[in-house]
Amino acid sequence: MKKILFFLAMILPLFSYAQYSFGKIELNKESKQSPFCYKIGSKDSLHIAPCKQNGVQQLSIGNLICKAENQDEHLDYEIFANHKDKKAFVLVSRTTDNLCVGCSLYLFENRNVKDCGLLPVAAYTKDQSGRMNYNSILPHLSIVKVSNRYILSFETPLIVLFPMQEQEEILSGRDIFFTFDKDGLQMNK
């Protein structure tokens, strides 16, 4: 009996740091329907409507509008959700002249969308022509909740930090990750 109690005492703290993985929601961007509607949890849904204003691309994400910086910037997005957590992250990749300059992070919770900040990263991978280039990080991103924070990590060998900026540097994908909690978004190297 003492062994069972000891075993339970050792295992129970592990469950208090529950870990949830966020999966990508399949996007059907070729659909003629606009705005696009994505089911988050059993009762919530997120609406995203792409449009252009004065030649500048915009995404209406719930109650927020994400605007491209200029006419040359292209916006692409992915949604990561976990139905147990009842939250979703929308990541909007920003690409100019076929070079990714980072992505914006938005949190969907309780039918509201909150701007969480910018991830100034790109994947240093081969592009469609076979050349190494600054590509979108979205296909290489994973989000996991551990305790009360979310960890955004990258599953690619090379990352460009601050692409196309003065402090630009190329790092190993496992040498950098971001955390998001009540204090905001933080980069960890």
Side-chain angles (χ1 to χ4, degrees), residues 111-126:
R111 297 188 175 144
N112 287 312
V113 179
K114 175 184 170 187
D115 186 351
C116 301
L118 178 72
L119 280 76
V121 294
Y124 192 57
T125 56
K126 289 184 179 180

Side-chain angles (χ1 to χ4, degrees), residues 52 63 84 96 102 131 138 141 176 179:
K52 283 194 174 192
N63 56 330
K84 289 181 185 176
T96 302
R131 292 187 354 229
L138 297 181
L141 181 75
I176 185 166
T179 56

Side-chain angles (χ1 to χ4, degrees), residues 1 11 16 20 44 108 115 127 137 150 165 167 169 181:
M1 184 66 162
I11 288 186
S16 66
Y20 299 111
D44 287 335
F108 176 73
D115 186 351
D127 61 14
I137 198 67
Y150 301 89
Q165 296 179 26
Q167 63 268 43
E169 66 180 300
D181 58 17

Side-chain angles (χ1 to χ4, degrees), residues 17 33 37 67 72 76 83 99-101 109 119 130 137 148 153 173 175 178 183:
Y17 294 104
Q33 171 191 352
C37 182
K67 296 180 182 180
D72 296 330
D76 193 22
H83 298 294
L99 297 173
C100 181
V101 293
E109 179 180 30
L119 280 76
I137 198 67
N148 288 328
S153 60
D175 289 345
F178 287 80
D183 297 327

Side-chain angles (χ1 to χ4, degrees), residues 33-149:
Q33 171 191 352
S34 185
F36 300 108
C37 182
Y38 304 103
K39 192 151 179 71
I40 312 293
S42 60
K43 297 180 182 177
D44 287 335
S45 59
L46 174 63
H47 298 274
I48 298 179
C51 64
K52 283 194 174 192
Q53 185 175 22
N54 299 326
V56 176
Q57 187 181 3
Q58 294 182 352
L59 289 174
S60 172
I61 305 170
N63 56 330
L64 282 180
I65 294 181
C66 176
K67 296 180 182 180
E69 296 292 321
N70 54 52
Q71 292 181 351
D72 296 330
E73 188 173 74
H74 175 73
L75 304 177
D76 193 22
Y77 65 93
E78 291 278 352
I79 302 171
F80 292 80
N82 181 295
H83 298 294
K84 289 181 185 176
D85 201 38
K86 297 180 183 164
K87 295 179 185 174
F89 288 97
V90 180
L91 285 106
V92 179
S93 178
R94 299 174 170 276
T95 306
T96 302
D97 296 326
N98 292 325
L99 297 173
C100 181
V101 293
C103 62
S104 300
L105 177 67
Y106 299 94
L107 173 64
F108 176 73
E109 179 180 30
N110 299 327
R111 297 188 175 144
N112 287 312
V113 179
K114 175 184 170 187
D115 186 351
C116 301
L118 178 72
L119 280 76
V121 294
Y124 192 57
T125 56
K126 289 184 179 180
D127 61 14
Q128 295 161 342
S129 66
R131 292 187 354 229
M132 294 300 281
N133 207 349
Y134 298 178
N135 296 305
S136 173
I137 198 67
L138 297 181
H140 310 283
L141 181 75
S142 65
I143 301 176
V144 175
K145 180 181 180 184
V146 178
S147 190
N148 288 328
R149 64 183 186 158

